[in-house]
Amino acid sequence: MTPDQRRAIEQDCARLIALYANRNDAARWHEVAMLYAPEGRMARPTAPDEWIEGRDAILAAFLARPPRATRHVCSNIVIDVLSPVEAVGESAMLLFTGDPAPKVGSFHDRFILTGEGWRFAERRGSLLF
């Protein structure tokens, strides 16, 4: 793999993280779910050991949420390319909600290249405070 190919994968996966935050904040749940591979899985930062598996189940979990205003700020994004079709990443997350204090945590991601492009195979959140 050339350095340019590696950088392209890193950029595509970093963009996926930003799309996830923006679509989540806009409550565009169908579009959020489509960022996952069909068999992808997610664990929310508030429940990092409770996996929600499959794109349909992820969509149902988002649709079941009560409405709320949020703003996710993601930074310190580091993507490690494992192969031409797989990468992992970590990013810091700051979540502003209607709660008095913001929540600070991180996401650990696994990405795979699908026929639809790069998608989350796995997204696991955790809270620091």
Side-chain angles (χ1 to χ4, degrees), residues 60-90:
F62 278 113
L63 290 172
R65 247 186 181 169
R68 64 181 186 159
T70 62
R71 175 62 66 199
H72 291 78
V73 180
C74 299
S75 67
N76 303 353
I77 299 169
V78 176
I79 307 297
D80 293 312
V81 179
L82 304 178
S83 76
V85 297
E86 189 175 11
V88 295
E90 181 177 355

Side-chain angles (χ1 to χ4, degrees), residues 2 23 26 33 37 43 45-46 55 57 64 66 68 72 78 80 84 91 96 98 120:
T2 69
R23 291 175 182 176
T46 54
R55 190 184 278 167
R68 64 181 186 159
H72 291 78
V78 176
D80 293 312
S91 58
F96 294 94
F120 291 106

Side-chain angles (χ1 to χ4, degrees), residues 25 31 64 72 96 124:
D25 291 338
E31 293 176 45
H72 291 78
F96 294 94
R124 184 178 195 169

Side-chain angles (χ1 to χ4, degrees), residues 34 36-38 55 113-119:
M34 290 304 295
Y36 284 86
R55 190 184 278 167
L113 184 59
T114 71
E116 299 169 301
W118 285 94
R119 295 290 183 262

Side-chain angles (χ1 to χ4, degrees), residues 14-115:
R15 185 173 192 278
L16 198 58
I17 291 169
L19 284 171
Y20 185 93
N22 292 345
R23 291 175 182 176
N24 192 324
D25 291 338
R28 292 163 43 189
W29 306 128
H30 288 86
E31 293 176 45
V32 171
M34 290 304 295
L35 297 175
Y36 284 86
E39 68 284 353
R41 65 187 199 153
M42 153 184 108
R44 289 189 169 125
T46 54
D49 296 320
E50 296 177 22
W51 291 102
I52 300 166
E53 301 197 30
R55 190 184 278 167
D56 292 339
I58 290 168
L59 174 58
F62 278 113
L63 290 172
R65 247 186 181 169
R68 64 181 186 159
T70 62
R71 175 62 66 199
H72 291 78
V73 180
C74 299
S75 67
N76 303 353
I77 299 169
V78 176
I79 307 297
D80 293 312
V81 179
L82 304 178
S83 76
V85 297
E86 189 175 11
V88 295
E90 181 177 355
S91 58
M93 179 268 302
L94 177 60
L95 172 60
F96 294 94
T97 66
D99 295 335
K103 293 172 178 55
V104 178
S106 62
F107 283 102
H108 291 81
D109 301 316
R110 190 167 57 86
F111 307 94
I112 58 170
L113 184 59
T114 71

